[in-house]
Amino acid sequence: MRGPLGRDASAGGAGGGKGGDDDDAAADIIRHDRKCRDLPFLALFAAFWVAMIVNSSFGFNQGSPLRLTYGLDYKGNICGSKRGDPDLSELDVRYWLNPNQVYQSGLKNSTSDLADAKSICLMECPYPAEDGLNFVCDYPEGDIRLSVDDWIDRDYDYFEYLTPDMRNSSLQLQGPCYPIIFPSINVYWSCQFIARPSNVSLKHWQQMGGVSIDENMLIDNTIHNTINYKSSVLKRYVADIGKSWPVLIVCGGLLPLFLSLIWLAMIRYFVAGMPWITVILFNALVISVTMFFYIKAGWIGNDPLTVVIGPSDPYVSIGGREINHLQAAAVLMTVVMIIAFLTSIAIVRRILIATSTTVLKVAAKVIGEVHALIIFPVVPYFALAIIYMFWFAATLYLFSSGQVVQNDCNAECCSFDLKLGKVNCDSCCGYSVHYTPHIGIAILFHLFGCYWATQFFIACSSTVIAGSVASYYWARGEISHDIPFHTVVSSLKRLLRYSLGSVALGSLVVSSVEWVRFILKWLRRRLKGVDSTGESRLGKTVSSSSHCCLGCIDWTIKSVNRNAYIVIAVTGKGFCKASELAMGLIMNNILRIGKVNVIGDVILYLGKLCVSLSSALFAFLMLDTHKYRSAHNKISSPLFPVLLCWALGYVVAQLFFGVVETSVETIILSFCQDAEEHDGEAQYAPPLLMETLGDTSQLQRLTQGP
């Protein structure tokens, strides 16, 4: 009889316990009479990635990452773009020329909108003169014989070159030149007006016969609200990812790779002290990351996040959603820090008496014997690195995809058209980027594809490791000369030839459940905004219950999946059958598995968090340098890059820590199957494992011989 994880019982009794031929033993450890399983799901995975490439090509064709950072002028040009008319490559700050238009667009029941107010692109925000009146004039064209460079050198002011008609039009706030009455400051590449007019400039404007500009008008809220729209903040967050790509490579890729390898090496040579090191390091990192959030939120020190690009006015305090988000993150990290500290106190006693470290010692022994296990995760690591680089590039273009179209507005306004040489009242509507519903669907499809690919490669890595460790357990030294590299290569070949479909199915199941949870969570947030009637309460109750149930299902599926990959690696079964066999073994040995694996799982999980928190901490340090705090590389907030480095660090740690995690679970499942096949007495367990899972008589039999 052959059990789900072992060799034939007859073979185990005949040749397994006494030695036997190496080749016969090797052939009997892992089932080789396999066939390809779950092929439709492998085809689905391949088709999905073809669709991902097509979907991304849409973004590359329609998108422009500059839209995520800079605004549009009144002609529909993207500030800072070389393709504008004129060339705006050095002009990346959007400025609204007419203060009355800005003010009126912020009034309640107003028919005008700020998107339709006349705006142009400048190098920096203008400031009122201290002893006179300056103007900002429209792009030079038509009868204005100035180059763009000359226009910039003159501080955008060619009022003295205007004809009498042009001057009269300008004094009516119809251009082509407009007075600088209110100071402005660069807030995320848009000139935020400050409701503090210059008395000198206002006096000169009145003396010239200009139309009335109320010095008490509040014109700062309109632009401030536009800059802080949820969609505008999201665009800036996505743009931060593109600007901080060196940080992502170093802190999200290279650093966690280095730290994970160090952790595996320490598990190999210093396993007894790793639980203590992990717990202490975890608490130190949580405190450090929390303090950085407090600093950037402005609650500690004098180095808070600033929304201003370049020099700021010390008398002006401007906030934004980014600061609020950092403050919320600081509060959340405080809660995490308290929970981490209390949890550490709770598990200290468990670490002292836990026997699970013995299982970690067995895993360390396996890593020492099967040397390729430490190196193998580098293969899925580089595969994911290539996918992530493509995915991030496509993300920037998808989020910025859309069509620049003129607004359909009812505003009645006139401005001087330099090309026509007269005041034009026919087209004063501004331009906006038009996003169609299918763009949102394309983005969700893109996000799901990344998650599925991540789960797929993590599952592939677990399956290869499980096959190698199972060979180690069931060989019991009989194929020791083949163990260091051959078992890993053989396990990889079996995966590529027979089991990719099963892995694709397993990763799809996990990804689907996660996304259903995400959608339900979004629906719960939407329900919070409805009135508190009986029906809405019922809806909230149903939503909360379903979310909780899906959370339990998700945890169960992930747990079963990990063990299903072990069964797939050893037996070559399809995913569904392997899940059934894995569940049977787990339920039959639930007490034994829980006894040895709880604290071990906690230590491994804390180890992953240590790597990911280290990535987040170093990301904070890199983003706090001058490069990312000024000029064009200035990021709106360190929040997204830090969270992304944390996520990437966790994925990398999961790949490498999976060596220990999968080794432990494979050894435990193999031991359970071994005991079931031999009437409760495991025949192939190493003596070190028997200290934890076996009894004294079995340990004496294994150490002293028959």
Side-chain angles (χ1 to χ4, degrees):
M1 177 188 73
R2 183 190 296 273
L5 287 181
R7 64 209 305 180
D8 289 335
S10 58
K18 302 202 183 270
D21 184 77
D22 286 353
D23 294 333
D24 293 339
D28 199 29
I29 295 166
I30 304 294
R31 290 194 60 172
H32 292 274
D33 53 335
R34 299 172 179 245
K35 63 179 181 178
C36 295
R37 306 282 186 177
D38 302 317
L39 282 179
F41 293 96
L42 179 59
L44 176 63
F45 184 74
F48 186 90
W49 267 94
V50 171
M52 281 281 289
I53 294 173
V54 174
N55 186 52
S56 300
S57 65
F58 164 79
F60 287 123
N61 290 329
Q62 299 292 328
S64 174
L66 288 177
R67 297 174 187 167
L68 300 173
T69 302
Y70 308 113
L72 303 177
D73 67 4
Y74 76 96
K75 293 184 174 184
N77 299 317
I78 303 174
C79 293
S81 174
K82 295 181 180 180
R83 300 178 180 178
D85 179 23
D87 184 355
L88 303 177
S89 56
E90 296 181 355
L91 307 173
D92 44 28
V93 182
R94 179 174 50 175
Y95 175 72
W96 285 271
L97 292 163
N98 190 335
N100 277 347
Q101 277 188 325
V102 174
Y103 173 68
Q104 291 171 3
S105 65
L107 296 176
K108 292 183 178 180
N109 302 322
S110 174
T111 58
S112 62
D113 189 78
L114 186 63
D116 299 317
K118 190 161 188 174
S119 62
I120 62 173
C121 303
L122 307 177
M123 291 187 68
E124 56 187 14
C125 295
Y127 212 81
E130 297 180 359
D131 56 355
L133 177 64
N134 291 341
F135 289 85
V136 172
C137 301
D138 201 350
Y139 301 125
E141 54 188 0
D143 293 336
I144 304 300
R145 306 300 182 182
L146 283 177
S147 66
V148 174
D149 291 337
D150 291 337
W151 173 66
I152 295 173
D153 292 339
R154 295 181 58 86
D155 291 330
Y156 327 108
D157 186 357
Y158 50 75
F159 185 80
E160 61 182 278
Y161 294 157
L162 298 183
T163 64
D165 288 342
M166 290 181 181
R167 290 195 177 197
N168 183 59
S169 174
S170 296
L171 293 175
Q172 299 300 315
L173 288 179
Q174 294 180 345
C177 294
Y178 299 82
I180 306 175
I181 303 296
F182 294 89
S184 58
I185 192 168
N186 186 346
V187 177
Y188 297 135
W189 311 104
S190 292
C191 291
Q192 165 76 62
F193 280 102
I194 301 171
R196 191 182 64 207
S198 168
N199 292 331
V200 174
S201 298
L202 188 60
K203 181 179 179 180
H204 278 76
W205 172 253
Q206 293 170 347
Q207 290 174 349
M208 294 176 66
V211 298
S212 175
I213 295 178
D214 186 0
E215 60 181 325
N216 296 318
M217 67 169 55
L218 299 177
I219 64 172
D220 52 346
N221 290 334
T222 303
I223 298 176
H224 180 76
N225 293 336
T226 299
I227 294 174
N228 281 284
Y229 281 155
K230 292 182 179 179
S231 59
S232 300
V233 175
L234 178 60
K235 288 179 184 178
R236 288 198 293 271
Y237 280 154
V238 177
D240 290 341
I241 297 174
K243 294 177 183 178
S244 59
W245 63 266
V247 178
L248 300 182
I249 292 176
V250 174
C251 298
L254 300 179
L255 180 64
L257 171 64
F258 177 71
L259 294 177
S260 298
L261 289 173
I262 289 179
W263 201 90
L264 285 181
M266 293 184 69
I267 277 287
R268 170 68 181 91
Y269 297 105
F270 193 53
V271 65
M274 284 308 295
W276 299 105
I277 294 175
T278 302
V279 171
I280 294 172
L281 185 60
F282 170 70
N283 283 275
L285 288 170
V286 168
I287 294 173
S288 300
V289 173
T290 303
M291 291 303 102
F292 261 103
F293 275 113
Y294 270 78
I295 292 172
K296 290 305 174 183
W299 291 344
I300 293 181
N302 55 358
D303 189 27
L305 175 72
T306 173
V307 300
V308 178
I309 309 294
S312 59
D313 190 331
Y315 300 102
V316 177
S317 177
I318 301 177
R321 288 183 182 269
E322 286 85 353
I323 296 177
N324 296 334
H325 293 166
L326 281 174
Q327 292 172 348
V331 173
L332 179 62
M333 285 302 301
T334 302
V335 175
V336 172
M337 181 176 65
I338 295 173
I339 295 175
F341 182 73
L342 296 177
T343 303
S344 300
I345 295 176
I347 67 174
V348 163
R349 179 177 173 82
R350 293 287 299 169
I351 293 176
L352 288 172
I353 64 175
T355 58
S356 60
T357 53
T358 306
V359 180
L360 291 179
K361 289 179 182 178
V362 176
K365 189 174 187 301
V366 174
I367 295 173
E369 293 283 346
V370 189
H371 306 306
L373 284 178
I374 297 180
I375 303 173
F376 170 73
V378 174
V379 177
Y381 168 84
F382 279 110
L384 277 177
I386 294 172
I387 289 176
Y388 282 161
M389 285 188 287
F390 166 78
W391 186 85
F392 281 125
T395 299
L396 292 176
Y397 280 89
L398 278 173
F399 267 90
S400 62
S401 59
Q403 193 173 12
V404 177
V405 296
Q406 190 171 23
N407 298 332
D408 183 13
C409 66
N410 297 319
E412 296 180 2
C413 59
C414 301
S415 62
F416 198 94
D417 192 323
L418 288 172
K419 289 185 177 181
L420 296 178
K422 63 178 183 179
V423 175
N424 183 13
C425 301
D426 295 333
S427 60
C428 60
C429 295
Y431 287 79
S432 299
V433 179
H434 179 63
Y435 298 96
T436 57
H438 76 271
I439 294 178
I441 297 174
I443 292 174
L444 290 176
F445 183 83
H446 190 68
L447 294 174
F448 179 80
C450 178
Y451 192 79
W452 189 6
T454 301
Q455 293 297 323
F456 177 82
F457 281 101
I458 290 176
C460 287
S461 180
S462 299
T463 305
V464 173
I465 293 169
S468 303
V469 175
S471 297
Y472 172 86
Y473 179 93
W474 293 98
R476 206 176 67 183
E478 294 176 6
I479 55 171
S480 59
H481 63 281
D482 284 335
I483 284 177
F485 295 99
H486 177 71
T487 54
V488 175
V489 175
S490 299
S491 185
L492 177 60
K493 288 180 179 178
R494 290 192 295 271
L495 168 71
L496 296 177
R497 186 173 180 181
Y498 300 109
S499 303
L500 283 179
S502 301
V503 170
L505 174 56
S507 57
L508 175 61
V509 170
V510 173
S511 303
S512 300
V513 173
E514 283 285 346
W515 273 84
V516 171
R517 286 183 63 200
F518 170 80
I519 294 173
L520 283 177
K521 192 172 183 179
W522 177 78
L523 290 175
R524 287 180 63 201
R525 290 178 178 175
R526 293 295 299 268
L527 285 172
K528 289 182 179 179
V530 302
D531 55 10
S532 56
T533 61
E535 290 184 0
S536 62
R537 288 175 181 172
L538 177 62
K540 292 179 181 180
T541 302
V542 173
S543 177
S544 300
S545 301
S546 60
H547 181 75
C548 181
C549 292
L550 276 173
C552 296
I553 293 172
D554 176 55
W555 181 85
T556 303
I557 287 177
K558 285 184 176 180
S559 177
V560 173
N561 267 16
R562 290 198 305 266
N563 294 288
Y565 297 141
I566 297 172
V567 178
I568 290 171
V570 176
T571 66
K573 300 289 186 183
F575 175 78
C576 296
K577 184 62 177 179
S579 299
E580 179 185 348
L581 294 174
M583 180 61 75
L585 273 177
I586 292 173
M587 297 306 297
N588 292 338
N589 299 273
I590 188 69
L591 295 178
R592 175 179 285 167
I593 293 175
K595 171 188 173 184
V596 302
N597 220 21
V598 173
I599 295 297
D601 281 347
V602 171
I603 297 303
L604 289 171
Y605 180 67
L606 292 182
K608 297 175 190 177
L609 291 180
C610 284
V611 173
S612 59
L613 286 170
S614 298
S615 299
L617 180 61
F618 276 88
F620 260 126
L621 294 174
M622 287 189 67
L623 293 170
D624 204 36
T625 58
H626 178 74
K627 177 180 179 181
Y628 298 105
R629 299 179 63 178
S630 61
H632 295 81
N633 283 326
K634 178 179 172 66
I635 60 173
S636 64
S637 170
L639 183 61
F640 255 44
V642 166
L643 291 179
L644 200 52
C645 286
W646 179 90
L648 291 174
Y650 189 84
V651 170
V652 174
Q654 195 167 3
L655 282 174
F656 285 87
F657 281 50
V659 172
V660 178
E661 198 170 34
T662 305
S663 296
V664 168
E665 292 179 347
T666 304
I667 288 170
I668 292 175
L669 284 186
S670 297
F671 177 89
C672 294
Q673 181 62 34
D674 190 6
E676 286 188 8
E677 289 183 1
H678 300 94
D679 300 325
E681 294 186 3
Q683 300 291 320
Y684 297 91
L688 189 60
L689 185 61
M690 294 303 301
E691 295 178 12
T692 302
L693 300 175
D695 54 36
T696 306
S697 61
Q698 286 182 262
L699 180 61
Q700 291 178 350
R701 177 182 58 77
L702 289 170
T703 54
Q704 298 176 4

